[in-house]
Amino acid sequence: MDDNDNPDPGTDISGDSSWTLGAESESVYFFGSDRESSILSEFGWNLQPEEAHHRSLEPERFGDVERIESSDLAGRLPLAESSGLECSAAAAQIGSAEKAGDASTSNPSVSSSSSEDPPEKSTGSGGGKPPEIPSKGRKKGQKRIRQPRFAFMTKSEVDHLEDGYRWRKYGQKAVKNSPFPRSYYRCTNSKCTVKKRVERSSEDPSIVITTYEGQHCHHTVGFPRGGVISQEVTFDGRMTPPLTSHFYFPDMSFHREGSHSGSMAQSHQVPAQAREARALAEPSPQLPTDEGLLGDMVPPGMRNG
DNA sequence: CGAGTTTGACCAGCGC
DNA sequence: GCGCTGGTCAAACTCG
């Protein structure tokens, strides 16, 4: 059992068979960045077409990952738009939306994310875990709740890219067909259920695949290097960053258009003006519009210099 | 001492 | 039903 299981080894971004956009509203974004410092670019916040190196990925590489257009994404993702959204509420919305067609389990545990609320290791560390706890904390018979996910492919030398949030690693696993392990991170905010997976492409070790799952319900804690992002409320809260339209889907757009020989060049033609236009046309109610586009992309603290 | 990481074990889902 | 694999837990460990 080596690799014959997976017909398309390599950048197995799907990783598992659950990567099906149609079913779980996941999307895939691809960005390339020369510098680790251009984290914002990875998120599209400051993506300059001339700086971004969109990687062309063969459709086969994505297997069952459906490609959708950014404009569709917003409508297809179970969004939690309420500005006062709380983590548990967000999870509930997502869970219900996501599992709507799933066994109608109306999983009470979903809404009651509070039930799993404090992952706070009530394990009474030191008490020594009972040698035989069958469920090991996880409710048995309780399906794993999959929240919307999306992945970034980033060319970077560092595995764990700074995104303004603080993450705690809770696991690492060797991945099939990949010499590189996959790391599992969880938002350190006890009320935030967002998770993140980080792995390197087996084909191109310089590419880091970061997969986000869930929605943040809080602000970032800021970049260690000084900058502070305050934008992600929109980004994470809606799963459609103010830049949803800023994101380019090299394959996706033409996949949908069908005819256009969707080339990278074409996606590169989507100028910043277009993004700006959209930003102006659809100002996020959650964002201070008086700040203009800059306010959308650069927090006040970062503008000084 | 608290926060974060490491790591082995456990569990669930899925394909055969 | 079985085995494989991904995902998670939690004790032990490390670090600041």
Side-chain angles (χ1 to χ4, degrees), chain A residues 136-192:
Chain A
K136 211 173 184 177
R138 193 185 309 157
K139 305 284 198 299
K140 208 159 190 175
Q142 181 174 328
K143 278 191 176 181
R144 267 193 195 115
I145 304 303
R146 282 278 167 79
Q147 298 194 0
R149 293 183 292 176
F150 54 96
F152 299 86
M153 291 185 73
T154 307
K155 198 160 189 171
S156 172
E157 294 184 8
V158 294
D159 291 346
H160 195 190
L161 300 169
E162 295 291 347
D163 57 6
Y165 288 97
R166 295 192 64 180
W167 301 91
R168 188 171 59 129
K169 191 175 186 177
Y170 67 88
Q172 178 172 309
K173 286 278 292 187
V175 184
K176 189 182 177 186
N177 293 326
S178 175
F180 306 102
R182 174 183 297 164
S183 297
Y184 299 88
Y185 296 87
R186 175 177 296 153
C187 186
T188 56
N189 187 317
S190 61
K191 293 181 179 179
C192 185

Side-chain angles (χ1 to χ4, degrees), chain A residues 243-286:
Chain A
L243 34 98
T244 285
S245 58
H246 308 172
F247 280 41
Y248 302 145
F249 301 80
D251 291 346
M252 303 173 189
S253 58
F254 68 78
H255 173 82
R256 189 169 190 252
E257 295 293 339
S259 56
H260 299 73
S261 56
S263 61
M264 293 309 96
Q266 186 168 16
S267 55
H268 274 223
Q269 289 176 1
V270 180
Q273 289 94 322
R275 309 199 300 260
E276 186 171 356
R278 177 179 168 92
L280 292 174
E282 301 181 359
S284 171
Q286 301 175 4

Side-chain angles (χ1 to χ4, degrees), chain A residues 46-294:
Chain A
N46 195 23
L47 192 63
Q48 299 297 322
E50 56 270 50
E51 291 183 2
H53 298 234
H54 305 294
R55 302 192 67 78
S56 172
L57 294 164
E58 299 78 18
E60 307 88 74
R61 296 274 291 275
F62 286 150
D64 56 354
V65 178
E66 182 183 344
R67 292 163 184 73
I68 62 177
E69 222 169 349
S70 57
S71 56
D72 288 346
L73 181 62
R76 299 177 66 153
L77 288 174
L79 305 179
E81 305 198 15
S82 111
S83 57
L85 191 65
E86 292 182 4
C87 287
S88 56
Q93 288 188 13
I94 295 172
S96 60
E98 178 180 350
K99 294 292 174 180
D102 177 70
S104 68
T105 48
S106 67
N107 219 335
S109 61
V110 174
S111 57
S112 63
S113 70
S114 55
S115 65
E116 66 170 10
D117 182 7
E120 311 277 51
K121 296 202 188 274
S122 58
T123 60
S125 57
K129 81 170 182 183
E132 287 296 314
I133 290 187
S135 57
K136 211 173 184 177
R138 193 185 309 157
K139 305 284 198 299
K140 208 159 190 175
Q142 181 174 328
K143 278 191 176 181
R144 267 193 195 115
I145 304 303
R146 282 278 167 79
Q147 298 194 0
R149 293 183 292 176
F150 54 96
F152 299 86
M153 291 185 73
T154 307
K155 198 160 189 171
S156 172
E157 294 184 8
V158 294
D159 291 346
H160 195 190
L161 300 169
E162 295 291 347
D163 57 6
Y165 288 97
R166 295 192 64 180
W167 301 91
R168 188 171 59 129
K169 191 175 186 177
Y170 67 88
Q172 178 172 309
K173 286 278 292 187
V175 184
K176 189 182 177 186
N177 293 326
S178 175
F180 306 102
R182 174 183 297 164
S183 297
Y184 299 88
Y185 296 87
R186 175 177 296 153
C187 186
T188 56
N189 187 317
S190 61
K191 293 181 179 179
C192 185
T193 60
V194 178
K195 293 174 214 162
K196 170 165 109 171
R197 296 190 311 216
V198 177
E199 64 185 288
R200 285 196 173 274
S201 167
S202 59
E203 279 194 353
D204 187 348
S206 66
I207 293 179
V208 177
I209 301 172
T210 305
T211 306
Y212 288 86
E213 178 174 340
Q215 305 176 352
H216 287 287
C217 61
H218 57 95
H219 291 263
T220 57
V221 296
F223 284 116
R225 293 176 188 133
V228 175
I229 306 295
S230 61
Q231 189 65 36
E232 60 296 329
V233 168
T234 300
F235 175 71
D236 294 303
R238 301 178 62 184
M239 293 299 288
T240 53
L243 34 98
T244 285
S245 58
H246 308 172
F247 280 41
Y248 302 145
F249 301 80
D251 291 346
M252 303 173 189
S253 58
F254 68 78
H255 173 82
R256 189 169 190 252
E257 295 293 339
S259 56
H260 299 73
S261 56
S263 61
M264 293 309 96
Q266 186 168 16
S267 55
H268 274 223
Q269 289 176 1
V270 180
Q273 289 94 322
R275 309 199 300 260
E276 186 171 356
R278 177 179 168 92
L280 292 174
E282 301 181 359
S284 171
Q286 301 175 4
L287 297 174
T289 54
D290 57 341
E291 304 259 273
L293 183 61
L294 184 61

